[in-house]
Amino acid sequence: MSEKECNLSLDELLKFDGVMAAGIFSPDGKLVEYKSKTEMPKVMAVMTAKFCGAVNMMFDALASAYTELYKMNWVPQNNWMYSGGDWVVMISGTRGVFVEKSKADIEKILKGLGMC
């Protein structure tokens, strides 16, 4: 997998089947940019950025604790994914996508997002 394939733009991520929205957030959870195939309200994107920033911080804390306490290297955090109901959220660093599960090839999206 080349660097280019693992660093697609928001427009390129939106081209994947099932991807309904793509965004970038700051490490502290502020929305930097988002694009959507649907009418995803900006307030939803702002709230999602806050949630993703908080989850990243939680995973950073857990990873640091496991690394320190059990001498297992879990840092730096690279990515995470949540799947529930009809939807999947995939986060790589501070970029992520909302995916309608039934319409998506999850493996292709993982690679495109940078979860190589």
Side-chain angles (χ1 to χ4, degrees):
M1 185 70 36
S2 73
E3 184 68 28
K4 183 179 182 339
E5 290 172 300
C6 293
N7 194 22
L8 299 179
S9 70
L10 298 184
D11 287 325
E12 290 169 317
L13 289 169
L14 284 173
K15 291 178 184 176
F16 285 97
D17 290 337
V19 173
M20 302 315 263
I24 301 170
F25 56 96
S26 67
D28 61 345
K30 290 184 177 72
L31 182 64
V32 173
E33 181 182 4
Y34 86 103
K35 294 191 175 187
S36 175
K37 286 183 183 174
T38 63
E39 296 298 318
M40 179 183 198
K42 184 169 183 180
V43 67
M44 183 178 176
V46 168
M47 181 179 64
T48 300
K50 286 180 187 178
F51 287 150
C52 291
V55 171
N56 272 359
M57 285 186 253
M58 180 190 68
F59 281 139
D60 283 342
L62 287 168
S64 295
Y66 275 106
T67 298
E68 181 65 29
L69 293 172
Y70 302 109
K71 307 305 180 215
M72 299 169 68
N73 188 13
W74 288 85
V75 294
Q77 176 194 159
N78 297 311
N79 47 62
W80 54 271
M81 181 171 72
Y82 171 82
S83 176
D86 299 329
W87 294 92
V88 178
V89 175
M90 298 178 201
I91 304 298
S92 181
T94 55
R95 297 175 349 124
V97 291
F98 267 39
V99 179
E100 194 170 356
K101 199 181 327 182
S102 66
K103 297 180 180 179
D105 181 335
I106 300 295
E107 188 173 325
K108 281 184 181 179
I109 299 168
L110 288 171
K111 288 177 182 174
L113 188 57
M115 297 179 169
C116 304

